[in-house]
Amino acid sequence: MPHFNAAAALHFCVLLSAFPAQYFISQWYRTDSAQRIRITERLIIASWSSFTKSYLSLDAWADRLKLWLSNTRTCLNVRLLILHFRNWYYGEKKTKIGDNEGETHSYFAESTHVRSPKPEYVRFSVGQVIVHKRLGYSGVIVGWDVTAKAPEEWLQHRYPPAKQDLKDTPHYRILINEVNGFGKSTAYIPEEEITLVMGLQVHHPDMKTY
């Protein structure tokens, strides 16, 4: 298949223009000088008339402006439509993710949702080893909530009216060190009941999972 480049296209256009050019030349030389002058005058007048109608007419420029504005509005409307669709799609997607998160992983700091950065008022972090101030057992933090998140029945049992304020403080999920023989493997406790400890190794069957 022959290669068709810009030079070949120009050559082809020149060949096509040869036919009307030959016709014009033949008509030109068949006439006398007076007729050639009249033909030239008609060509000049026709060209000027076409130029003035296209570029010196207010109506022509008004039509161009209307067409440009129409195209601009069309492009703008399409862009707005795409933007609204993207906002709707990703907003709907985030809402669904949030709903699923709330249904399956919101209780007892078991959320798998990445929350970063951690709020400054949440003092402790995942991986830190702690000791319960009152009960004395040790453990490691594996999750946190900015406030207590648990079934309402559990909260009512855990926090009677005298301790209602504790519900609104940060809470931590703890894997309890099995060497303590505490009888429980996990705990969900407020921040004020724990203190950090250094140099203590925690043993728990779920440590590798976390």
Side-chain angles (χ1 to χ4, degrees):
M1 182 176 178
H3 182 64
F4 193 76
N5 54 20
L10 179 62
H11 190 203
F12 182 72
C13 292
V14 171
L15 289 176
L16 285 179
S17 65
F19 293 104
Q22 287 178 354
Y23 176 79
F24 177 78
I25 292 171
S26 64
Q27 294 297 318
W28 179 271
Y29 282 102
R30 285 181 184 177
T31 59
D32 56 22
S33 60
Q35 289 177 327
R36 288 199 292 270
I37 292 173
R38 285 195 295 271
I39 292 172
T40 303
E41 289 176 349
R42 286 199 296 269
L43 287 173
I44 293 174
I45 293 171
S47 299
W48 176 251
S49 177
S50 176
F51 175 80
T52 55
K53 288 180 180 179
S54 299
Y55 297 100
L56 300 182
S57 170
L58 292 176
D59 293 336
W61 283 106
D63 292 339
R64 287 192 180 91
L65 182 60
K66 289 179 182 177
L67 180 61
W68 179 79
L69 289 175
S70 175
N71 291 336
T72 302
R73 279 196 296 266
T74 301
C75 293
L76 181 60
N77 289 336
V78 170
R79 290 177 182 175
L80 287 175
L81 183 62
I82 293 173
L83 180 61
H84 284 311
F85 175 77
R86 290 180 61 188
N87 289 340
W88 168 82
Y89 175 76
Y90 288 109
E92 184 76 10
K93 191 173 181 181
K94 288 179 180 178
T95 300
K96 289 181 179 178
I97 292 175
D99 291 343
N100 292 335
E101 185 72 26
E103 291 173 1
T104 58
H105 296 294
S106 63
Y107 291 155
F108 303 114
E110 290 186 313
S111 172
T112 58
H113 179 63
V114 177
R115 294 167 292 179
S116 179
K118 180 170 65 69
E120 293 183 1
Y121 55 85
V122 178
R123 293 172 53 198
F124 306 130
S125 303
V126 171
Q128 289 183 313
V129 178
I130 61 92
V131 170
H132 195 287
K133 293 179 178 178
R134 181 169 50 87
L135 300 178
Y137 63 79
S138 60
V140 61
I141 299 173
V142 292
W144 55 267
D145 290 320
V146 294
T147 60
K149 292 186 178 180
E152 189 61 31
E153 297 81 3
W154 187 93
L155 291 173
Q156 291 177 1
H157 176 74
R158 181 71 170 78
Y159 298 113
K163 295 184 177 181
Q164 287 294 303
D165 292 343
L166 286 178
K167 290 197 303 183
D168 298 327
T169 62
H171 278 60
Y172 300 86
R173 181 175 180 82
I174 309 297
L175 294 186
I176 298 176
N177 196 349
E178 62 181 3
V179 301
N180 296 149
F182 186 67
K184 291 176 59 178
S185 62
T186 62
Y188 186 63
I189 53 180
E191 188 171 88
E192 72 165 27
E193 293 184 358
I194 63 178
T195 184
L196 293 182
V197 62
M198 304 297 292
L200 179 65
Q201 186 173 2
V202 175
H203 298 276
H204 192 282
D206 294 336
M207 282 289 290
K208 290 184 178 180
T209 302
Y210 282 95

